Amino acid sequence: MPAPHTRPAAMLVLATALAAVGLGPAAAPAAAATVPVGSGSYSDTRPAGTSGPTTNTGTPVVPKVTAAAKDRPVPTNDWWSSLAFQRYGDNPYSTPMYGHPLTYQAVSGGLDVGYPTSPAIVGDGRQYEYAHKRDLTIGLTGLNSPDTKADDWSDWTVTPYWSDGTRTLRTTIGHGMPFVYAKGSGGDARITTAEAPTVFADQGSVLGITVAGHHYALFAPTGSDWNVSGSTVSAGLGSKDYFSVAVLPTTDALATYRKYAYSFVTGSTVNWSSTGGTVKATYTLTTEAEEGTERGTLQALYRHQWLNTTDALTPYTYVSPRGTMKVRESASFTTARPASPVLPALPKPSGVEAARLKGYLNEVADAADPFSGATDTYWTGKALGKLAQLVPVADQIGEGAIRDKFLGLIKGRLQDWFTAGGANEFSYDNAWKTLTGYPASYGSDTELNDHHFHYGYYVYAAAIVAQYDQAWAADSAWGGMVKTLVRDTANPSRTDSAFPFLRGFDVYAGHSWASGHQGFAAGNNQESSSESTNLSAALVLWGSATGDSALRDLGSYLLTTESEAIAQYWFDADEQVFPSSFGHDTAGMVWGSGAAYATWWTANPEEIHGINVLPVTSGSSLHLGGEKAAIRRNLAELERENGGPAVEWRDILWEFQSLADPAAAKAKWDAGNGAYTPEEGESRAHTYHWISALNEFGAPDATVTGDLPTSAVFTKGTVRTYVAHNHGATARTVTFSDGKSFSVPARSTATATGTGSGDPDPDPDPEPPTGNTYQLRSGGTLTTATGATAAGDTVPSAGGANHDGTPYQPLVYEIKGVNGTLTPGAVTSFRLQVDADTTVGLGQQARISYDLTGDGTFDRTETYQYFATDPVTGWEEYTQSRGLKSSTGTLGDLNGGTVRLEVWSAVGNGASRLQTGTERSVLVIPYD
């Protein structure tokens, strides 16, 4: 479970294992219970009187794995962790596991499988659940196993194992997999259904059945035959040992699914890159053909994936707690997203009163105990995070002594924790391959919860120290212990024998999980998604400060991926995920089965809304500004639920509001005049600086990214402010996606302003380049001309119907006689200013079409995901970053061709506006 934010209330790791992954210095075997790592150390034995992983009754447990897997680090904090972590002593199998679209639970006779398609609203309307409900059990005749163990696993698949001494069964299951692949011995394949099935297809070794309204296909080896008797379906395997089961989107899909029924998935791997301001990830399944030669497969993509891929998808879809899943007919797919912005600090705002800010800094620096009595890993981490945010703020206003005092406090506490044998230390558990800090808290020891939450603060604070003191961060000094924490929480190596790959980050789900045991009927969960991104941002900063580009890029992948998952699954940014019956605009917690408007410790709306915001940092929080409408809906709901504005966590929520509406947040700060109690991880100094900076520079602009991971863009009115921090020892040029470019001195932050033409002059830039950039003109024209007067066209209402993907009374803008050479690798882009005024529930959609020769037939059509406008008067920017919804045809050179832009209302019951006559609304085609 995630760390509740309650009110104040061995083995020696061998040198070869450490050196192999490049994440820590070689540690020579040490005497007694201490493993030296540079200047620090950890213990290989828990401190006296403490506990490691246990059942709910306090009995120590070890991983529940087969002999084949006994030496592999178990990826705790996963969607299937209850297979390996027997949290409840009377359940040696598993709790429900949510792979999506299928759900699973291990039982004595095999694997229960379900496909929940209707949400239930529970907890006084505060939670929606697509709870696991058994449709059928996959097993063998007579199988009665005393337990289920994890036999094998990969990045998002797992193989449970059953044996009763006579029969053995292995099944491979995973995220996005409509198939369950089974291998058994000692008995016939046996499918037991929850009710007598209806047979819709009988093809001997292939059987189509419907159970509880869900369609399944059963595949036995060719030559065998399925027999149906009541609620039992069985087939002899003959000399073979394999069979498979698939959930079908429709009965008509049987032929397609049959093609891949014997292409068994054997593993899954994600590979990522972060270059030029874009994060790409390729998700690949490995397969082997049990019969025939087919090696392809089918995968169901989550919303955060299909929104960000241009790979072809089939018409097949599934229901899930994360919205619609779309099916791809391939063993791999690739996603691409603009990298989420990260900075060590917001730039210095000119409007800040230096004396006032210094006074706020001294409130923390001169406190009797800057750590507020913290002793455990979590609350110590919160205090470290608070101090780390103030180091660059003090530096910006020339308060070197205060800066160095903060650095000294951070170093001292980190070094205390990084040295074994004291009142606090880290201890390695060889059975579970994990590093636990003692004193522990919130189950970080007994349940292996929340390591990414706790340790993210340590890594973040260390990254700020490294920015100012590289010698301290060297592996031979204290950097080795920082990297050991990284290996525990976000290890990028799949071959490290001491720690699992990416412990808590679920690469396919797109976010982390907090529970180490996953022992809940609702699956695993994560509450504070923002504390998860705090670790990812820390990796970007640590990797940048220490010259470790691999860790930096890992952090960028994790942050960018989770930022989209947060937008969709915590904040429902497109209003396409939460069931309409849920009735909330945000979720405090995401579960495998759904989501809840709740926290672990309170029903206070301020904390339900704030828990996925804190800690507010320029590393982990700027990505939230990419969904301004969702922020406004979120805060409007907060005030409805709270009966008025925030009181307890007002600073966190002011800072959140400033990511969408900086002036409104500044007005609230000014009205309070600093007279409030800061949240435990916050300070008046940081909040004052944060709100003042965004009020001056504007909210984050997610439409533009820099080619340096430590860069960001802010927009106020028509002026963009570009910011980049160069951790390197030499100056470097940073280039942004709109063409802006400027030099950033070594170990410095630099800023520039403009509109992005590539002119490094800090004055506003000239108009965008003409030739392949077209402005919209009222009357339906696209033109390369500039200098017109801004105007607006009315986008007709959708009339309360759903026109997602199909133009309805569209505004049409067109240019004919276009010649151009297709730019290899380039894609269509646009930015359109739209406004729904105060009308709720509207969404505008764009389609771009290319008639390459002007013969009246469009050779390429691209339809983009619609943009959900907010009910606040003022222009919002709709761009191609919403992602392709569909496309047909292919691009080629233009020879007297026609380019057409259509804009219409996809949803809603009201008209909206589209701005014309300005460079703020343009279409850019991928041609020279």
Side-chain angles (χ1 to χ4, degrees):
M1 72 185 69
H5 288 63
T6 52
R7 309 279 43 90
M11 150 180 142
L12 300 179
V13 180
L14 299 179
T16 52
L18 282 160
V21 296
L23 277 179
T34 299
V35 180
V37 182
S39 298
S41 59
Y42 59 86
S43 64
D44 69 348
T45 305
R46 288 192 302 272
T50 63
S51 296
T54 65
T55 66
N56 60 314
T57 58
T59 303
V61 291
V62 296
K64 192 160 57 77
V65 299
T66 64
K70 67 181 178 64
D71 295 325
R72 294 182 63 188
V74 175
T76 57
N77 309 75
D78 216 330
W79 67 273
W80 57 265
S81 293
S82 62
L83 274 174
F85 195 136
Q86 189 175 341
R87 177 62 179 164
Y88 297 95
D90 58 352
N91 181 4
Y93 305 105
S94 82
T95 54
M97 302 173 290
Y98 293 81
H100 306 144
L102 291 172
T103 61
Y104 316 96
Q105 185 167 9
V107 295
S108 61
L111 184 70
D112 285 354
V113 176
Y115 173 40
T117 52
S118 298
I121 304 301
V122 298
D124 296 326
R126 299 170 74 88
Q127 183 167 350
Y128 75 85
E129 283 192 325
Y130 289 81
H132 168 69
K133 183 180 181 181
R134 169 182 172 265
D135 284 341
L136 50 84
T137 302
I138 298 173
L140 302 173
T141 53
L143 177 65
N144 185 20
S145 178
D147 58 24
T148 310
K149 297 181 173 72
D151 184 58
D152 192 16
W153 52 83
S154 58
D155 288 7
W156 64 89
T157 66
V158 64
T159 300
Y161 170 87
W162 296 258
S163 175
D164 61 10
T166 301
R167 291 155 286 265
T168 63
L169 174 69
R170 291 175 174 84
T171 63
T172 296
I173 57 179
H175 278 314
M177 286 170 49
F179 283 94
V180 176
Y181 305 96
K183 290 196 171 184
S185 65
D188 294 341
R190 175 173 172 163
I191 310 299
T192 307
T193 57
E195 60 185 43
T198 300
V199 175
F200 65 82
D202 188 347
Q203 302 167 8
S205 61
V206 178
L207 187 72
I209 61 173
T210 300
V211 182
H214 303 142
H215 309 302
Y216 290 90
L218 316 182
F219 304 96
T222 298
S224 60
D225 191 17
W226 290 100
N227 176 62
V228 180
S229 177
S231 295
T232 300
V233 186
S234 59
L237 299 178
S239 62
K240 309 299 184 182
D241 66 350
Y242 56 85
F243 61 102
S244 65
V245 176
V247 61
L248 303 180
T250 67
T251 56
D252 294 340
L254 179 59
T256 299
Y257 280 64
R258 180 175 184 168
K259 178 180 178 182
Y260 302 106
Y262 304 102
S263 178
F264 274 41
V265 167
T266 58
S268 55
T269 305
V270 62
N271 290 292
W272 60 83
S273 65
S274 179
T275 56
T278 299
V279 172
K280 292 185 178 181
T282 298
Y283 300 83
T284 303
L285 293 173
T286 55
T287 65
E288 61 182 20
E290 293 298 331
E291 56 181 71
T293 59
E294 179 60 60
R295 297 292 298 275
T297 191
L298 296 160
Q299 300 183 74
L301 278 63
Y302 283 116
R303 180 175 179 82
H304 76 275
Q305 295 169 324
W306 57 256
L307 279 174
N308 295 291
T309 187
T310 57
D311 292 339
L313 302 175
T314 71
Y316 300 133
T317 62
Y318 289 104
V319 174
S320 88
R322 310 291 179 255
T324 300
M325 300 183 80
K326 298 189 176 184
V327 177
R328 175 160 165 77
E329 192 172 1
S330 174
S332 70
F333 64 91
T334 298
T335 61
R337 270 184 58 79
S340 293
V342 173
L343 293 171
L346 295 181
K348 178 185 175 182
S350 60
V352 156
E353 300 172 29
R356 185 181 187 186
L357 181 55
K358 180 180 179 181
Y360 289 153
L361 289 167
N362 279 327
E363 283 183 4
V364 180
D366 296 340
D369 179 7
F371 292 90
S372 303
T375 59
D376 63 88
T377 46
Y378 180 71
W379 289 101
T380 297
K382 290 268 288 185
L384 287 167
K386 175 172 67 176
L387 295 173
Q389 299 310 308
L390 299 181
V391 170
V393 171
D395 192 47
Q396 283 181 7
I397 63 171
E399 294 295 337
I402 300 177
R403 174 202 64 201
D404 293 345
K405 185 172 184 178
F406 289 143
L407 286 169
L409 288 167
I410 294 169
K411 289 179 185 178
R413 190 54 59 98
L414 286 175
Q415 290 167 199
D416 188 25
W417 276 91
F418 289 171
T419 304
N424 28 247
E425 66 177 20
F426 286 96
S427 174
Y428 182 74
D429 185 316
N430 182 51
W432 287 95
K433 313 296 188 192
T434 189
L435 196 72
T436 302
Y438 293 93
S441 51
Y442 307 119
S444 61
D445 50 354
T446 57
E447 301 179 38
L448 300 184
N449 297 338
D450 304 350
H451 284 202
H452 61 315
F453 291 166
H454 297 207
Y455 303 171
Y457 286 107
Y458 289 67
V459 178
Y460 204 117
I464 295 298
V465 172
Q467 182 179 327
Y468 293 87
D469 188 347
Q470 289 192 307
W472 183 93
D475 285 352
S476 58
W478 299 99
M481 279 300 295
V482 177
K483 289 185 175 182
T484 306
L485 296 191
V486 172
R487 289 172 68 207
D488 181 74
T489 53
N491 188 8
S493 172
R494 298 179 181 86
T495 59
D496 187 346
S497 62
F499 296 96
F501 172 69
L502 294 182
R503 182 181 301 280
F505 191 83
D506 187 327
V507 296
Y508 204 89
H511 59 81
S512 295
W513 296 111
S515 168
H517 56 75
Q518 188 262 310
F520 303 96
N524 213 322
N525 70 89
Q526 180 160 262
E527 184 183 57
S528 184
S529 60
S530 47
E531 286 182 304
S532 181
T533 57
N534 189 49
L535 171 62
S536 304
L539 295 178
V540 175
L541 293 173
W542 173 264
S544 298
T546 61
D548 190 333
S549 59
L551 272 188
R552 179 199 66 193
D553 292 349
L554 166 64
S556 190
Y557 162 67
L558 298 178
L559 177 62
T560 301
T561 303
E562 192 154 19
S563 71
E564 178 74 333
I566 292 166
Q568 298 300 329
Y569 311 140
W570 273 262
F571 296 150
D572 196 15
D574 298 334
E575 300 181 273
Q576 296 292 307
V577 173
F578 295 171
S580 58
S581 53
F582 180 45
H584 290 284
D585 291 315
T586 190
M589 305 169 68
V590 163
W591 288 87
S593 64
Y597 185 77
T599 72
W600 278 105
W601 80 100
T602 183
N604 181 358
E606 294 188 29
E607 289 159 305
I608 292 172
H609 289 257
I611 192 58
N612 285 290
V613 177
L614 63 79
V616 176
T617 81
S618 51
S620 61
S621 303
L622 297 181
H623 73 91
L624 296 171
E627 300 291 351
K628 295 177 177 61
I631 292 175
R632 295 178 183 122
R633 289 197 306 271
N634 186 304
L635 292 172
E637 178 180 30
L638 163 67
E639 296 202 2
R640 290 194 305 271
E641 294 284 335
N642 204 42
V647 175
E648 186 176 356
W649 277 7
R650 66 185 75 179
D651 48 355
I652 295 295
L653 295 161
W654 290 339
E655 290 170 310
F656 186 38
Q657 183 173 30
S658 69
L659 294 168
D661 298 305
K666 181 65 160 53
K668 290 179 179 178
W669 165 268
D670 290 342
N673 198 32
Y676 67 96
T677 300
E679 186 271 334
E680 288 90 337
E682 258 300 349
S683 64
R684 265 180 280 268
H686 179 254
T687 301
Y688 176 46
H689 181 274
W690 178 275
I691 290 175
S692 298
L694 292 180
N695 183 60
E696 181 169 322
F697 303 119
D701 186 341
T703 67
V704 183
T705 56
D707 63 1
L708 182 68
T710 48
S711 61
V713 180
F714 306 87
T715 296
K716 184 173 184 178
T718 60
V719 177
R720 283 181 177 149
T721 297
Y722 304 80
V723 186
H725 185 87
N726 176 13
H727 286 87
T730 58
R732 65 156 293 166
T733 297
V734 178
T735 301
F736 291 81
S737 58
D738 62 356
K740 187 69 177 182
S741 181
F742 58 92
S743 180
V744 184
R747 307 200 193 289
S748 299
T749 296
T751 64
T753 58
T755 57
S757 73
D759 182 359
D761 192 290
D763 293 327
D765 293 330
E767 297 293 318
T770 59
N772 64 351
T773 300
Y774 298 97
Q775 291 188 15
L776 286 59
R777 294 288 187 268
S778 295
T781 300
L782 293 174
T783 177
T784 58
T786 62
T789 300
D793 289 345
T794 298
V795 185
S797 169
N802 188 325
H803 302 289
D804 184 11
T806 304
Y808 174 75
Q809 298 181 1
L811 298 177
V812 179
Y813 304 88
E814 192 171 82
I815 185 169
K816 296 184 176 182
V818 181
N819 297 309
T821 302
L822 182 65
T823 303
V827 295
T828 305
S829 63
F830 60 85
R831 60 176 185 264
L832 303 174
Q833 307 303 308
V834 292
D835 179 32
D837 200 29
T838 59
T839 306
V840 299
L842 303 191
Q844 295 76 42
Q845 193 158 32
R847 182 167 79 176
I848 294 93
S849 303
Y850 297 88
D851 172 359
L852 300 180
T853 60
D855 64 359
T857 299
F858 285 100
D859 304 281
R860 168 73 173 178
T861 299
E862 301 171 358
T863 304
Y864 289 82
Q865 300 292 339
Y866 73 75
F867 179 77
T869 40
D870 64 39
V872 178
T873 302
W875 296 111
E876 299 175 78
E877 190 162 270
Y878 172 26
T879 75
Q880 78 287 342
S881 65
R882 296 307 304 160
L884 270 176
K885 179 179 177 63
S886 64
S887 62
T888 60
T890 57
L891 286 171
D893 292 346
L894 285 164
N895 184 14
T898 299
V899 179
R900 175 183 292 176
L901 166 67
E902 298 167 272
V903 181
W904 70 96
S905 294
V907 294
N909 199 5
S912 55
R913 293 186 301 152
L914 172 66
Q915 192 177 62
T916 61
T918 170
E919 59 87 21
R920 298 292 290 161
S921 280
V922 296
L923 168 67
V924 183
I925 63 174
Y927 290 86
D928 292 332

